[in-house]
Amino acid sequence: QLSGPIGLLRAGSEVVSTTDMTAIVLFAAAISVNLAVVNSFPIPALDGGQMVFILWEALTGRKVNEKLQDTVTAAAV
């Protein structure tokens, strides 16, 4: 089930209103995992983009040109 920020806030307020500590911790863990997955997408401004540059360096044995890396990251922002 997909929802945007409003749905997320609604679900969060429902979980917190139950005062079930297990549900609250599981909800916080789900948000954390979701953010980790989204952050690992190979988008240059995110950590996934940095992982692509590191993978390139590991495969080729050469560092990515810093100017190119800065340009790609700036273009994504």
Side-chain angles (χ1 to χ4, degrees), residues 17-65:
S17 68
T18 64
T19 66
D20 179 11
M21 193 53 131
T22 302
I24 293 170
V25 170
L26 288 174
F27 182 74
I31 290 175
S32 181
V33 168
N34 185 358
L35 288 173
V37 168
V38 170
N39 201 26
S40 66
F41 289 161
I43 299 171
L46 300 178
D47 288 339
Q50 296 303 312
M51 287 190 290
V52 170
F53 293 132
I54 292 169
L55 181 63
W56 173 263
E57 183 179 336
L59 292 174
T60 64
R62 298 180 303 149
K63 284 193 166 263
V64 176
N65 182 328

